[in-house]
C-alpha cells in the first residue's frame, strides 16, 4: 500500500501522463488534418508529428513501467516484460530526442541570421543537414545500444538474484547508465548549441535594431523569442526527464524508496507533457486549432 504522500504524488504524475497523451494526440490530429486537406506535409509539421507520436509512446512506456514496478513487481521476475519495455524505450527515447533536436535545428536554420559561410552553406542545404542528423541518429543507436543491452540485462539479473547487488559497484552502474544514454545526450547537446547560437543571433539583431533607432519589436525578434522559448523549455524539461529516469533506475538498484521512485516518475512525465502544450501555445496554427476546438466544445455544452 502507498502512503498518502506517495498516492498524491502518483496522482500528479499520472495526471501529467494523461495530459501529455492528450496534448500530443491533439498535435498529431491537427497536423494529420492539415496533411489530408493540403495533400502535403511541411517539414515543420513532419517534425512536430514525429515528436508528438514518439512522446505518446514514451509516456505509455514510462507509465506502464512505473505502475508495474510499484504494484506488479512479481510479474517482472518470471517474464521478459521489463526487458521488452526497456528495449522499446531505448529506441523511442532516441527518436523523441532526435525529433526535438531536429526542431531546434529547423528553428536555428530558419530564424538565425549569421554571415559565416558555414551557416550559409547549412541554410542553403537544410535537407542535407537533416540527412546528417538521421545518420547521426543511426550511429548513436549502434554505439549506445550494446551498453543499453548490458544495463537492461544487469537489471534482469538483479531482479532474479538480489545477492548480485554485492558485485555491482554504484559507480559502475552510474557510468554504464550515462554511456548507454550517450546517443540522446549527444543529440541534446546539438539542441543546446542551436539555442546558444539563436541567443547570439537575437542579441546581435537587437543591437542592430537599437543602432538604427527602432524601439519596436519586429517580426524577426518575435520569431527569435518564440523559438528560444521552445528550445529553452525543451532543454530544461529534458534535463528533468533525464534526472527522473536516473532516479527511477537508482531506486531500483540502490534503495527501496517508493516515494523517491514516484518523484522520479513525476519528473520524467513532465517532459513529454509540458513541452507539448508549450508547442501548442507557441504555434499559430496549433493555437488557432485549439481555439476552434474550445469553441465547438462550448457550443456543444450550450
Amino acid at each position: 500500500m502507498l502512503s498518502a504522500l506517495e498516492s498524491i504524488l502518483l496522482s500528479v504524475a499520472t495526471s501529467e501522463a494523461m495530459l501529455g497523451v492528450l496534448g500530443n494526440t491533439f498535435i498529431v490530429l491537427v497536423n494529420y488534418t492539415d496533411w489530408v486537406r493540403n495533400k502535403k506535409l511541411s517539414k515543420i509539421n513532419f517534425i512536430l508529428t514525429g515528436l508528438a507520436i514518439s512522446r505518446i509512446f514514451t509516456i505509455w512506456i514510462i507509465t506502464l513501467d512505473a505502475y508495474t514496478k510499484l504494484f506488479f513487481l512479481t510479474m517482472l521476475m518470471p517474464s521478459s516484460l521489463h526487458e521488452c519495455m526497456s528495449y522499446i524505450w531505448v529506441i523511442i527515447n532516441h527518436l523523441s530526442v532526435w525529433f526535438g533536436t531536429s526542431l531546434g535545428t529547423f528553428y536555428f536554420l530558419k530564424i538565425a541570421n549569421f554571415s559565416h559561410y558555414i551557416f550559409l552553406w547549412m541554410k542553403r542545404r537544410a535537407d542535407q543537414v537533416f540527412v546528417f542528423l538521421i545518420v547521426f541518429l543511426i550511429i548513436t543507436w549502434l554505439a549506445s545500444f550494446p551498453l543499453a543491452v548490458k544495463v537492461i540485462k544487469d537489471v534482469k539479473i538483479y531482479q532474479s538474484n538480489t545477492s548480485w547487488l554485492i558485485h555491482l559497484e554504484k559507480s559502475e552502474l552510474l557510468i554504464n547508465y550515462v554511456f548507454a544514454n550517450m546517443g540522446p545526450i549527444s543529440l541534446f547537446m546539438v539542441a543546446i548549441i542551436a539555442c546558444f547560437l539563436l541567443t547570439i543571433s537575437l542579441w546581435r539583431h537587437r543591437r542592430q535594431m537599437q543602432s538604427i533607432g527602432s524601439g519596436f519589436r519586429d517580426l524577426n525578434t518575435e520569431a527569435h523569442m518564440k523559438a528560444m522559448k521552445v528550445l529553452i523549455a525543451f532543454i530544461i524539461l529534458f534535463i528533468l526527464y533525464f534526472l527522473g529516469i536516473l532516479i527511477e533506475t537508482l531506486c531500483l538498484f540502490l534503495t527501496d524508496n517508493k516515494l523517491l521512485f514516484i518523484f522520479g516518475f513525476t519528473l520524467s512525465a513532465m517532459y513529454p507533457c509540458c513541452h507539448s502544450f508549450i508547442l501548442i501555445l507557441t504555434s499559430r496554427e496549433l493555437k488557432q486549432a485549439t481555439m476552434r476546438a474550445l469553441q465547438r466544445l462550448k457550443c456543444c455544452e450550450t
Side-chain angles (χ1 to χ4, degrees):
M1 292 292 293
L2 300 179
S3 65
L5 183 57
E6 290 170 347
S7 300
I8 293 172
L9 198 57
L10 183 61
S11 299
V12 172
T14 305
S15 300
E16 288 177 350
M18 293 174 63
L19 288 172
V21 172
L22 180 64
N24 286 292
T25 301
F26 178 77
I27 293 174
V28 173
L29 290 176
V30 170
N31 288 328
Y32 175 75
T33 304
D34 184 68
W35 180 28
V36 172
R37 184 188 303 116
N38 299 324
K39 307 298 182 182
K40 184 176 68 173
L41 189 65
S42 64
K43 187 178 298 181
I44 182 63
N45 286 344
F46 168 76
I47 294 173
L48 289 174
T49 303
L51 183 61
I53 292 174
S54 63
R55 283 177 175 171
I56 291 172
F57 279 101
T58 299
I59 293 169
W60 281 113
I61 291 171
I62 63 176
T63 304
L64 179 61
D65 181 68
Y67 270 84
T68 304
K69 289 174 181 175
L70 286 171
F71 301 108
F72 309 103
L73 189 58
T74 54
M75 289 176 56
L76 294 174
M77 297 181 183
S79 69
S80 58
L81 175 61
H82 177 264
E83 189 175 1
C84 180
M85 287 193 300
S86 299
Y87 287 129
I88 296 173
W89 177 81
V90 169
I91 297 172
I92 296 299
N93 188 51
H94 270 74
L95 275 177
S96 177
V97 181
W98 182 86
F99 277 114
T101 301
S102 298
L103 181 64
T105 305
F106 175 85
Y107 282 144
F108 168 65
L109 294 178
K110 187 176 180 62
I111 297 171
N113 186 16
F114 293 101
S115 58
H116 197 277
Y117 71 94
I118 295 180
F119 173 78
L120 296 176
W121 181 89
M122 293 173 62
K123 195 177 184 70
R124 288 194 300 266
R125 296 168 175 82
D127 292 338
Q128 296 182 22
V129 172
F130 284 101
V131 171
F132 170 78
L133 287 175
I134 293 174
V135 174
F136 187 71
L137 170 67
I138 296 172
I139 292 174
T140 54
W141 252 339
L142 296 175
S144 60
F145 203 78
L147 276 173
V149 170
K150 184 181 185 305
V151 172
I152 293 169
K153 288 188 179 297
D154 286 347
V155 174
K156 188 176 181 180
I157 294 172
Y158 167 64
Q159 288 170 346
S160 60
N161 182 14
T162 54
S163 63
W164 176 79
L165 183 61
I166 300 173
H167 305 288
L168 181 68
E169 294 290 339
K170 295 180 181 181
S171 58
E172 180 186 352
L173 168 64
L174 185 59
I175 291 171
N176 287 341
Y177 176 81
V178 171
F179 276 100
N181 286 277
M182 282 306 295
I185 291 174
S186 301
L187 289 165
F188 178 64
M189 293 303 297
V190 175
I192 291 179
I193 293 171
C195 184
F196 175 72
L197 292 175
L198 265 175
T199 305
I200 295 176
S201 176
L202 173 62
W203 176 73
R204 292 176 58 182
H205 177 72
R206 294 188 68 175
R207 283 191 60 184
Q208 183 180 5
M209 295 299 294
Q210 289 174 358
S211 66
I212 61 177
S214 175
F216 299 97
R217 294 175 64 179
D218 61 324
L219 293 177
N220 200 327
T221 302
E222 295 289 345
H224 273 83
M225 295 298 295
K226 183 189 298 185
M228 285 180 59
K229 287 177 184 177
V230 173
L231 282 175
I232 291 173
F234 169 70
I235 291 169
I236 294 174
L237 291 170
F238 182 79
I239 291 174
L240 294 177
Y241 168 76
F242 186 81
L243 288 175
I245 297 296
L246 178 60
I247 290 172
E248 291 185 53
T249 304
L250 293 178
C251 284
L252 182 63
F253 278 91
L254 308 178
T255 179
D256 188 20
N257 190 328
K258 285 187 176 181
L259 181 60
L260 187 60
F261 179 84
I262 297 172
F263 176 71
F265 174 41
T266 306
L267 285 180
S268 60
M270 287 176 63
Y271 161 65
C273 169
C274 296
H275 198 249
S276 62
F277 287 97
I278 292 172
L279 289 173
I280 291 173
L281 292 175
T282 54
S283 171
R284 187 180 70 246
E285 293 80 7
L286 292 174
K287 190 186 295 186
Q288 290 174 351
T290 304
M291 297 304 297
R292 288 195 298 267
L294 291 176
Q295 288 174 357
R296 290 176 182 175
L297 287 175
K298 188 175 181 180
C299 291
C300 291
E301 290 178 356
T302 56

